[in-house]
Amino acid sequence: ITSMENKVKTLYHGSQHKITNGVIHARDAYLPTTNTPITAVFATPDFARARNYACMRLIADGWKSPRTSDTLYVQKLSQDISGKKAYIYELDSDGFERDIDGTYYSLTNKPIKRVIEIDVMQEITSGNIKVYVLKPGIDCPTEHDDIWAELVNNKDNFELYKPISKNIDMSLLSQMKDLGINK
């Protein structure tokens, strides 16, 4: 039993969906450690992990895995990340259970205390989220998550995504292309 001093007061729920009615509804999911079906609201005391989760589906096409609270491994980048917004919902921890792996979940809907809107591309360009993309030519079957897990365990299969800064002069870029400097 956790003493009151150790009890986390605030939890975060990351989502790519804007919630306008002030409540996060419990959804069908699985407990990560036991893969047990559950209908719950999931949250974490780690703001960075919630941010990563909120942005993940907007950044990635195909397989995706958060590796740490600030890194994301993806099979492919989504077509247009620019301008996309993700949301972090601040929740009171009352009524949440803690699973063995540290995941917090509640079997009931949870009122939102505060909403934090995130510009996904800004998080990447500022280095708050590092996105590693599967290198071209590396095969990744669509139906085998064990193969994806193997790929993710070898960092050499991925390269860090470095978005082009918006303030780079476009004429300079086209000159570089003409000179064969930037393919």
Side-chain angles (χ1 to χ4, degrees):
I1 298 172
T2 318
S3 72
M4 283 315 283
E5 300 91 68
N6 293 340
K7 187 162 169 37
V8 176
K9 286 305 295 160
T10 301
L11 292 173
Y12 303 98
H13 174 88
S15 177
Q16 74 271 33
H17 302 293
K18 187 172 191 169
I19 297 172
T20 54
N21 67 356
V23 176
I24 297 180
H25 294 276
R27 296 186 180 275
D28 291 343
Y30 294 90
L31 273 179
T33 46
T34 58
N35 215 21
T36 309
I38 187 173
T39 301
V41 172
F42 286 90
T44 175
D46 183 344
F47 180 86
R49 174 165 261 140
R51 178 192 58 217
N52 207 4
Y53 189 81
C55 295
M56 181 170 66
R57 287 183 178 89
L58 298 172
I59 293 171
D61 275 340
W63 293 103
K64 49 202 156 288
S65 304
R67 293 299 284 177
T68 62
S69 58
D70 71 343
T71 60
L72 188 58
Y73 284 73
V74 303
Q75 184 179 355
K76 288 186 280 216
L77 289 172
S78 291
Q79 286 302 319
D80 189 26
I81 303 167
S82 275
K84 291 200 174 158
K85 304 280 188 229
Y87 304 91
I88 297 173
Y89 300 101
E90 203 173 276
L91 310 172
D92 192 302
S93 65
D94 289 346
F96 275 89
E97 309 272 332
R98 188 164 183 245
D99 195 17
I100 321 161
D101 71 344
T103 302
Y104 286 80
Y105 63 94
S106 169
L107 302 176
T108 60
N109 298 341
K110 287 291 164 200
I112 297 166
K113 284 189 349 189
R114 187 166 78 109
V115 179
I116 302 153
E117 188 177 271
I118 303 246
D119 180 304
V120 177
M121 188 53 87
Q122 182 60 48
E123 292 301 305
I124 296 170
T125 52
S126 67
N128 289 337
I129 296 178
K130 293 166 199 67
V131 180
Y132 292 90
V133 184
L134 190 63
K135 289 178 181 170
I138 296 178
D139 240 10
C140 184
T142 50
E143 67 284 341
H144 295 292
D145 61 346
D146 54 332
I147 292 171
W148 172 249
E150 259 177 58
L151 288 171
V152 171
N153 283 332
N154 181 353
K155 216 175 165 176
D156 292 340
N157 291 327
F158 294 82
E159 53 198 8
L160 181 63
Y161 169 57
K162 294 184 187 107
I164 295 168
S165 175
K166 282 196 171 86
N167 55 15
I168 289 179
D169 184 68
M170 291 314 281
S171 65
L172 176 67
L173 269 180
S174 61
Q175 286 171 7
M176 286 169 62
K177 201 173 230 139
D178 295 342
L179 296 169
I181 298 168
N182 187 8
K183 293 183 180 83

